[in-house]
PDB file of all heavy atoms in Angstrom:
ATOM      1  N   VAL F 223       4.930 -55.468  13.979  1.00 89.00           N
ATOM      2  CA  VAL F 223       4.821 -55.747  15.408  1.00 89.00           C
ATOM      3  C   VAL F 223       5.019 -57.226  15.634  1.00 89.00           C
ATOM      4  O   VAL F 223       4.420 -58.054  14.950  1.00 89.00           O
ATOM      5  CB  VAL F 223       3.443 -55.321  15.949  1.00 89.00           C
ATOM      6  CG1 VAL F 223       3.297 -55.712  17.405  1.00 89.00           C
ATOM      7  CG2 VAL F 223       3.260 -53.815  15.787  1.00 89.00           C
ATOM      8  N   GLN F 224       5.853 -57.566  16.561  1.00 93.00           N
ATOM      9  CA  GLN F 224       6.026 -58.966  16.948  1.00 93.00           C
ATOM     10  C   GLN F 224       5.304 -59.208  18.264  1.00 93.00           C
ATOM     11  O   GLN F 224       5.502 -58.472  19.237  1.00 93.00           O
ATOM     12  CB  GLN F 224       7.505 -59.305  17.076  1.00 93.00           C
ATOM     13  CG  GLN F 224       8.226 -59.333  15.744  1.00 93.00           C
ATOM     14  CD  GLN F 224       9.635 -59.888  15.843  1.00 93.00           C
ATOM     15  OE1 GLN F 224      10.194 -59.966  16.926  1.00 93.00           O
ATOM     16  NE2 GLN F 224      10.197 -60.272  14.720  1.00 93.00           N
ATOM     17  N   LEU F 225       4.482 -60.240  18.266  1.00 96.00           N
ATOM     18  CA  LEU F 225       3.728 -60.612  19.453  1.00 96.00           C
ATOM     19  C   LEU F 225       4.247 -61.950  19.971  1.00 96.00           C
ATOM     20  O   LEU F 225       4.372 -62.900  19.189  1.00 96.00           O
ATOM     21  CB  LEU F 225       2.236 -60.723  19.129  1.00 96.00           C
ATOM     22  CG  LEU F 225       1.589 -59.472  18.528  1.00 96.00           C
ATOM     23  CD1 LEU F 225       0.146 -59.777  18.130  1.00 96.00           C
ATOM     24  CD2 LEU F 225       1.640 -58.315  19.496  1.00 96.00           C
ATOM     25  N   THR F 226       4.501 -62.026  21.262  1.00 97.00           N
ATOM     26  CA  THR F 226       5.043 -63.241  21.849  1.00 97.00           C
ATOM     27  C   THR F 226       4.186 -63.663  23.018  1.00 97.00           C
ATOM     28  O   THR F 226       4.093 -62.942  24.023  1.00 97.00           O
ATOM     29  CB  THR F 226       6.490 -63.030  22.315  1.00 97.00           C
ATOM     30  OG1 THR F 226       7.278 -62.563  21.216  1.00 97.00           O
ATOM     31  CG2 THR F 226       7.070 -64.327  22.848  1.00 97.00           C
ATOM     32  N   GLU F 227       3.558 -64.832  22.885  1.00 98.00           N
ATOM     33  CA  GLU F 227       2.743 -65.378  23.965  1.00 98.00           C
ATOM     34  C   GLU F 227       3.600 -66.207  24.911  1.00 98.00           C
ATOM     35  O   GLU F 227       4.608 -66.800  24.511  1.00 98.00           O
ATOM     36  CB  GLU F 227       1.618 -66.281  23.427  1.00 98.00           C
ATOM     37  CG  GLU F 227       0.662 -65.624  22.455  1.00 98.00           C
ATOM     38  CD  GLU F 227       1.043 -65.873  21.016  1.00 98.00           C
ATOM     39  OE1 GLU F 227       2.238 -66.129  20.749  1.00 98.00           O
ATOM     40  OE2 GLU F 227       0.161 -65.823  20.145  1.00 98.00           O
ATOM     41  N   SER F 228       3.173 -66.250  26.154  1.00 98.00           N
ATOM     42  CA  SER F 228       3.811 -67.104  27.152  1.00 98.00           C
ATOM     43  C   SER F 228       2.788 -67.448  28.221  1.00 98.00           C
ATOM     44  O   SER F 228       1.715 -66.843  28.280  1.00 98.00           O
ATOM     45  CB  SER F 228       5.023 -66.402  27.783  1.00 98.00           C
ATOM     46  OG  SER F 228       4.617 -65.214  28.433  1.00 98.00           O
ATOM     47  N   GLY F 229       3.137 -68.435  29.035  1.00 98.00           N
ATOM     48  CA  GLY F 229       2.272 -68.804  30.146  1.00 98.00           C
ATOM     49  C   GLY F 229       1.460 -70.053  29.940  1.00 98.00           C
ATOM     50  O   GLY F 229       0.756 -70.503  30.849  1.00 98.00           O
ATOM     51  N   GLY F 230       1.526 -70.637  28.747  1.00 98.00           N
ATOM     52  CA  GLY F 230       0.799 -71.871  28.520  1.00 98.00           C
ATOM     53  C   GLY F 230       1.445 -73.037  29.246  1.00 98.00           C
ATOM     54  O   GLY F 230       2.517 -72.911  29.827  1.00 98.00           O
ATOM     55  N   GLY F 231       0.762 -74.170  29.212  1.00 98.00           N
ATOM     56  CA  GLY F 231       1.297 -75.354  29.856  1.00 98.00           C
ATOM     57  C   GLY F 231       0.240 -76.386  30.118  1.00 98.00           C
ATOM     58  O   GLY F 231      -0.856 -76.321  29.558  1.00 98.00           O
ATOM     59  N   LEU F 232       0.588 -77.333  30.964  1.00 98.00           N
ATOM     60  CA  LEU F 232      -0.313 -78.425  31.335  1.00 98.00           C
ATOM     61  C   LEU F 232      -0.870 -78.148  32.727  1.00 98.00           C
ATOM     62  O   LEU F 232      -0.114 -77.862  33.659  1.00 98.00           O
ATOM     63  CB  LEU F 232       0.447 -79.748  31.326  1.00 98.00           C
ATOM     64  CG  LEU F 232      -0.305 -80.986  31.824  1.00 98.00           C
ATOM     65  CD1 LEU F 232      -1.489 -81.285  30.913  1.00 98.00           C
ATOM     66  CD2 LEU F 232       0.650 -82.167  31.890  1.00 98.00           C
ATOM     67  N   VAL F 233      -2.178 -78.238  32.848  1.00 98.00           N
ATOM     68  CA  VAL F 233      -2.821 -77.987  34.126  1.00 98.00           C
ATOM     69  C   VAL F 233      -3.981 -78.963  34.298  1.00 98.00           C
ATOM     70  O   VAL F 233      -4.562 -79.416  33.303  1.00 98.00           O
ATOM     71  CB  VAL F 233      -3.313 -76.526  34.199  1.00 98.00           C
ATOM     72  CG1 VAL F 233      -4.384 -76.246  33.157  1.00 98.00           C
ATOM     73  CG2 VAL F 233      -3.793 -76.161  35.591  1.00 98.00           C
ATOM     74  N   GLU F 234      -4.299 -79.287  35.519  1.00 98.00           N
ATOM     75  CA  GLU F 234      -5.424 -80.172  35.792  1.00 98.00           C
ATOM     76  C   GLU F 234      -6.739 -79.405  35.699  1.00 98.00           C
ATOM     77  O   GLU F 234      -6.776 -78.183  35.899  1.00 98.00           O
ATOM     78  CB  GLU F 234      -5.293 -80.796  37.173  1.00 98.00           C
ATOM     79  CG  GLU F 234      -4.141 -81.778  37.306  1.00 98.00           C
ATOM     80  CD  GLU F 234      -4.104 -82.445  38.663  1.00 98.00           C
ATOM     81  OE1 GLU F 234      -4.859 -82.024  39.553  1.00 98.00           O
ATOM     82  OE2 GLU F 234      -3.315 -83.380  38.837  1.00 98.00           O
ATOM     83  N   ALA F 235      -7.788 -80.118  35.402  1.00 98.00           N
ATOM     84  CA  ALA F 235      -9.111 -79.506  35.357  1.00 98.00           C
ATOM     85  C   ALA F 235      -9.407 -78.797  36.672  1.00 98.00           C
ATOM     86  O   ALA F 235      -9.102 -79.309  37.751  1.00 98.00           O
ATOM     87  CB  ALA F 235     -10.170 -80.567  35.080  1.00 98.00           C
ATOM     88  N   GLY F 236      -9.982 -77.604  36.555  1.00 98.00           N
ATOM     89  CA  GLY F 236     -10.252 -76.798  37.719  1.00 98.00           C
ATOM     90  C   GLY F 236      -9.140 -75.825  38.059  1.00 98.00           C
ATOM     91  O   GLY F 236      -9.317 -74.934  38.904  1.00 98.00           O
ATOM     92  N   GLY F 237      -8.003 -75.987  37.411  1.00 98.00           N
ATOM     93  CA  GLY F 237      -6.859 -75.145  37.677  1.00 98.00           C
ATOM     94  C   GLY F 237      -6.902 -73.832  36.930  1.00 98.00           C
ATOM     95  O   GLY F 237      -7.876 -73.511  36.240  1.00 98.00           O
ATOM     96  N   SER F 238      -5.815 -73.071  37.059  1.00 98.00           N
ATOM     97  CA  SER F 238      -5.736 -71.738  36.470  1.00 98.00           C
ATOM     98  C   SER F 238      -4.407 -71.538  35.755  1.00 98.00           C
ATOM     99  O   SER F 238      -3.395 -72.160  36.102  1.00 98.00           O
ATOM    100  CB  SER F 238      -5.869 -70.668  37.564  1.00 98.00           C
ATOM    101  OG  SER F 238      -7.108 -70.753  38.224  1.00 98.00           O
ATOM    102  N   LEU F 239      -4.447 -70.664  34.775  1.00 98.00           N
ATOM    103  CA  LEU F 239      -3.238 -70.232  34.079  1.00 98.00           C
ATOM    104  C   LEU F 239      -3.417 -68.761  33.711  1.00 98.00           C
ATOM    105  O   LEU F 239      -4.552 -68.300  33.529  1.00 98.00           O
ATOM    106  CB  LEU F 239      -2.998 -71.030  32.794  1.00 98.00           C
ATOM    107  CG  LEU F 239      -2.465 -72.449  32.890  1.00 98.00           C
ATOM    108  CD1 LEU F 239      -2.467 -73.103  31.510  1.00 98.00           C
ATOM    109  CD2 LEU F 239      -1.074 -72.481  33.491  1.00 98.00           C
ATOM    110  N   ARG F 240      -2.302 -68.074  33.576  1.00 98.00           N
ATOM    111  CA  ARG F 240      -2.352 -66.708  33.066  1.00 98.00           C
ATOM    112  C   ARG F 240      -1.439 -66.616  31.854  1.00 98.00           C
ATOM    113  O   ARG F 240      -0.231 -66.838  31.962  1.00 98.00           O
ATOM    114  CB  ARG F 240      -1.929 -65.672  34.099  1.00 98.00           C
ATOM    115  CG  ARG F 240      -2.149 -64.245  33.586  1.00 98.00           C
ATOM    116  CD  ARG F 240      -1.849 -63.182  34.619  1.00 98.00           C
ATOM    117  NE  ARG F 240      -0.418 -62.913  34.749  1.00 98.00           N
ATOM    118  CZ  ARG F 240       0.079 -61.769  35.227  1.00 98.00           C
ATOM    119  NH1 ARG F 240      -0.748 -60.813  35.636  1.00 98.00           N
ATOM    120  NH2 ARG F 240       1.369 -61.611  35.333  1.00 98.00           N
ATOM    121  N   LEU F 241      -2.040 -66.291  30.730  1.00 98.00           N
ATOM    122  CA  LEU F 241      -1.275 -66.097  29.507  1.00 98.00           C
ATOM    123  C   LEU F 241      -0.874 -64.633  29.380  1.00 98.00           C
ATOM    124  O   LEU F 241      -1.619 -63.736  29.781  1.00 98.00           O
ATOM    125  CB  LEU F 241      -2.093 -66.505  28.285  1.00 98.00           C
ATOM    126  CG  LEU F 241      -2.645 -67.924  28.266  1.00 98.00           C
ATOM    127  CD1 LEU F 241      -3.357 -68.188  26.944  1.00 98.00           C
ATOM    128  CD2 LEU F 241      -1.575 -68.958  28.525  1.00 98.00           C
ATOM    129  N   SER F 242       0.288 -64.432  28.803  1.00 98.00           N
ATOM    130  CA  SER F 242       0.761 -63.076  28.529  1.00 98.00           C
ATOM    131  C   SER F 242       1.076 -62.945  27.046  1.00 98.00           C
ATOM    132  O   SER F 242       1.478 -63.919  26.405  1.00 98.00           O
ATOM    133  CB  SER F 242       2.022 -62.763  29.340  1.00 98.00           C
ATOM    134  OG  SER F 242       1.768 -62.817  30.724  1.00 98.00           O
ATOM    135  N   CYS F 243       0.903 -61.758  26.529  1.00 98.00           N
ATOM    136  CA  CYS F 243       1.244 -61.459  25.142  1.00 98.00           C
ATOM    137  C   CYS F 243       2.037 -60.161  25.154  1.00 98.00           C
ATOM    138  O   CYS F 243       1.480 -59.091  25.431  1.00 98.00           O
ATOM    139  CB  CYS F 243      -0.015 -61.320  24.303  1.00 98.00           C
ATOM    140  SG  CYS F 243       0.277 -60.728  22.608  1.00 98.00           S
ATOM    141  N   ALA F 244       3.317 -60.270  24.871  1.00 97.00           N
ATOM    142  CA  ALA F 244       4.192 -59.107  24.868  1.00 97.00           C
ATOM    143  C   ALA F 244       4.384 -58.613  23.438  1.00 97.00           C
ATOM    144  O   ALA F 244       4.629 -59.409  22.531  1.00 97.00           O
ATOM    145  CB  ALA F 244       5.537 -59.457  25.485  1.00 97.00           C
ATOM    146  N   ALA F 245       4.273 -57.314  23.271  1.00 95.00           N
ATOM    147  CA  ALA F 245       4.414 -56.716  21.945  1.00 95.00           C
ATOM    148  C   ALA F 245       5.751 -55.987  21.832  1.00 95.00           C
ATOM    149  O   ALA F 245       6.166 -55.299  22.764  1.00 95.00           O
ATOM    150  CB  ALA F 245       3.275 -55.737  21.689  1.00 95.00           C
ATOM    151  N   SER F 246       6.404 -56.187  20.708  1.00 91.00           N
ATOM    152  CA  SER F 246       7.665 -55.494  20.475  1.00 91.00           C
ATOM    153  C   SER F 246       7.390 -54.033  20.174  1.00 91.00           C
ATOM    154  O   SER F 246       6.295 -53.661  19.737  1.00 91.00           O
ATOM    155  CB  SER F 246       8.402 -56.136  19.305  1.00 91.00           C
ATOM    156  OG  SER F 246       7.641 -55.989  18.116  1.00 91.00           O
ATOM    157  N   GLU F 247       8.389 -53.226  20.388  1.00 77.00           N
ATOM    158  CA  GLU F 247       8.244 -51.802  20.093  1.00 77.00           C
ATOM    159  C   GLU F 247       8.312 -51.583  18.590  1.00 77.00           C
ATOM    160  O   GLU F 247       9.088 -52.232  17.886  1.00 77.00           O
ATOM    161  CB  GLU F 247       9.335 -51.004  20.792  1.00 77.00           C
ATOM    162  CG  GLU F 247       9.192 -50.980  22.306  1.00 77.00           C
ATOM    163  CD  GLU F 247      10.198 -50.051  22.958  1.00 77.00           C
ATOM    164  OE1 GLU F 247      10.968 -49.417  22.224  1.00 77.00           O
ATOM    165  OE2 GLU F 247      10.200 -49.968  24.203  1.00 77.00           O
ATOM    166  N   VAL F 248       7.503 -50.675  18.119  1.00 76.00           N
ATOM    167  CA  VAL F 248       7.491 -50.324  16.701  1.00 76.00           C
ATOM    168  C   VAL F 248       7.685 -48.822  16.582  1.00 76.00           C
ATOM    169  O   VAL F 248       6.939 -48.066  17.202  1.00 76.00           O
ATOM    170  CB  VAL F 248       6.165 -50.725  16.037  1.00 76.00           C
ATOM    171  CG1 VAL F 248       6.162 -50.301  14.574  1.00 76.00           C
ATOM    172  CG2 VAL F 248       5.934 -52.207  16.189  1.00 76.00           C
ATOM    173  N   PRO F 249       8.681 -48.386  15.832  1.00 77.00           N
ATOM    174  CA  PRO F 249       8.891 -46.945  15.678  1.00 77.00           C
ATOM    175  C   PRO F 249       7.629 -46.253  15.184  1.00 77.00           C
ATOM    176  O   PRO F 249       7.016 -46.668  14.203  1.00 77.00           O
ATOM    177  CB  PRO F 249      10.014 -46.868  14.635  1.00 77.00           C
ATOM    178  CG  PRO F 249      10.736 -48.163  14.780  1.00 77.00           C
ATOM    179  CD  PRO F 249       9.675 -49.182  15.121  1.00 77.00           C
ATOM    180  N   GLY F 250       7.231 -45.224  15.879  1.00 77.00           N
ATOM    181  CA  GLY F 250       6.064 -44.472  15.461  1.00 77.00           C
ATOM    182  C   GLY F 250       4.753 -45.043  15.907  1.00 77.00           C
ATOM    183  O   GLY F 250       3.697 -44.460  15.648  1.00 77.00           O
ATOM    184  N   ARG F 251       4.767 -46.199  16.530  1.00 79.00           N
ATOM    185  CA  ARG F 251       3.522 -46.801  17.011  1.00 79.00           C
ATOM    186  C   ARG F 251       3.667 -47.090  18.492  1.00 79.00           C
ATOM    187  O   ARG F 251       4.754 -47.384  18.988  1.00 79.00           O
ATOM    188  CB  ARG F 251       3.225 -48.125  16.290  1.00 79.00           C
ATOM    189  CG  ARG F 251       3.090 -48.029  14.794  1.00 79.00           C
ATOM    190  CD  ARG F 251       1.863 -47.252  14.360  1.00 79.00           C
ATOM    191  NE  ARG F 251       0.620 -47.838  14.763  1.00 79.00           N
ATOM    192  CZ  ARG F 251      -0.039 -48.770  14.069  1.00 79.00           C
ATOM    193  NH1 ARG F 251       0.470 -49.220  12.949  1.00 79.00           N
ATOM    194  NH2 ARG F 251      -1.206 -49.220  14.503  1.00 79.00           N
ATOM    195  N   THR F 252       2.577 -47.053  19.189  1.00 87.00           N
ATOM    196  CA  THR F 252       2.575 -47.424  20.593  1.00 87.00           C
ATOM    197  C   THR F 252       1.583 -48.552  20.815  1.00 87.00           C
ATOM    198  O   THR F 252       0.595 -48.688  20.083  1.00 87.00           O
ATOM    199  CB  THR F 252       2.191 -46.238  21.495  1.00 87.00           C
ATOM    200  OG1 THR F 252       0.867 -45.811  21.143  1.00 87.00           O
ATOM    201  CG2 THR F 252       3.153 -45.079  21.320  1.00 87.00           C
ATOM    202  N   PHE F 253       1.851 -49.340  21.829  1.00 91.00           N
ATOM    203  CA  PHE F 253       0.996 -50.486  22.145  1.00 91.00           C
ATOM    204  C   PHE F 253      -0.432 -50.038  22.376  1.00 91.00           C
ATOM    205  O   PHE F 253      -1.380 -50.732  21.997  1.00 91.00           O
ATOM    206  CB  PHE F 253       1.555 -51.193  23.376  1.00 91.00           C
ATOM    207  CG  PHE F 253       0.783 -52.413  23.790  1.00 91.00           C
ATOM    208  CD1 PHE F 253       0.846 -53.577  23.044  1.00 91.00           C
ATOM    209  CD2 PHE F 253      -0.013 -52.401  24.930  1.00 91.00           C
ATOM    210  CE1 PHE F 253       0.143 -54.709  23.421  1.00 91.00           C
ATOM    211  CE2 PHE F 253      -0.713 -53.524  25.320  1.00 91.00           C
ATOM    212  CZ  PHE F 253      -0.633 -54.682  24.565  1.00 91.00           C
ATOM    213  N   SER F 254      -0.590 -48.870  22.954  1.00 90.00           N
ATOM    214  CA  SER F 254      -1.936 -48.387  23.244  1.00 90.00           C
ATOM    215  C   SER F 254      -2.720 -48.060  21.983  1.00 90.00           C
ATOM    216  O   SER F 254      -3.925 -47.827  22.037  1.00 90.00           O
ATOM    217  CB  SER F 254      -1.880 -47.161  24.154  1.00 90.00           C
ATOM    218  OG  SER F 254      -1.189 -46.102  23.511  1.00 90.00           O
ATOM    219  N   GLY F 255      -2.053 -48.050  20.846  1.00 89.00           N
ATOM    220  CA  GLY F 255      -2.748 -47.787  19.606  1.00 89.00           C
ATOM    221  C   GLY F 255      -3.380 -49.020  18.992  1.00 89.00           C
ATOM    222  O   GLY F 255      -4.052 -48.929  17.956  1.00 89.00           O
ATOM    223  N   PHE F 256      -3.206 -50.173  19.627  1.00 94.00           N
ATOM    224  CA  PHE F 256      -3.700 -51.423  19.062  1.00 94.00           C
ATOM    225  C   PHE F 256      -4.885 -51.974  19.840  1.00 94.00           C
ATOM    226  O   PHE F 256      -4.878 -52.011  21.065  1.00 94.00           O
ATOM    227  CB  PHE F 256      -2.594 -52.480  19.063  1.00 94.00           C
ATOM    228  CG  PHE F 256      -1.462 -52.172  18.126  1.00 94.00           C
ATOM    229  CD1 PHE F 256      -0.267 -51.659  18.603  1.00 94.00           C
ATOM    230  CD2 PHE F 256      -1.592 -52.400  16.767  1.00 94.00           C
ATOM    231  CE1 PHE F 256       0.774 -51.370  17.742  1.00 94.00           C
ATOM    232  CE2 PHE F 256      -0.551 -52.125  15.898  1.00 94.00           C
ATOM    233  CZ  PHE F 256       0.633 -51.607  16.375  1.00 94.00           C
ATOM    234  N   THR F 257      -5.877 -52.416  19.106  1.00 95.00           N
ATOM    235  CA  THR F 257      -6.901 -53.283  19.666  1.00 95.00           C
ATOM    236  C   THR F 257      -6.307 -54.682  19.713  1.00 95.00           C
ATOM    237  O   THR F 257      -5.648 -55.107  18.755  1.00 95.00           O
ATOM    238  CB  THR F 257      -8.166 -53.259  18.788  1.00 95.00           C
ATOM    239  OG1 THR F 257      -8.675 -51.927  18.724  1.00 95.00           O
ATOM    240  CG2 THR F 257      -9.220 -54.208  19.333  1.00 95.00           C
ATOM    241  N   MET F 258      -6.535 -55.393  20.805  1.00 96.00           N
ATOM    242  CA  MET F 258      -5.893 -56.694  21.001  1.00 96.00           C
ATOM    243  C   MET F 258      -6.930 -57.783  21.235  1.00 96.00           C
ATOM    244  O   MET F 258      -8.067 -57.512  21.647  1.00 96.00           O
ATOM    245  CB  MET F 258      -4.959 -56.638  22.211  1.00 96.00           C
ATOM    246  CG  MET F 258      -3.871 -55.575  22.148  1.00 96.00           C
ATOM    247  SD  MET F 258      -2.631 -55.926  20.895  1.00 96.00           S
ATOM    248  CE  MET F 258      -1.898 -57.432  21.547  1.00 96.00           C
TER     249      MET F 258
END
């Protein structure tokens, strides 16, 4: 499984960010089968 994070960056104190982690497809496995 390949995991790719995105959404990081520079922000001022008090600000907000949303990180994402996208998982590649794996034959025979589904994303819902993983604890993250």
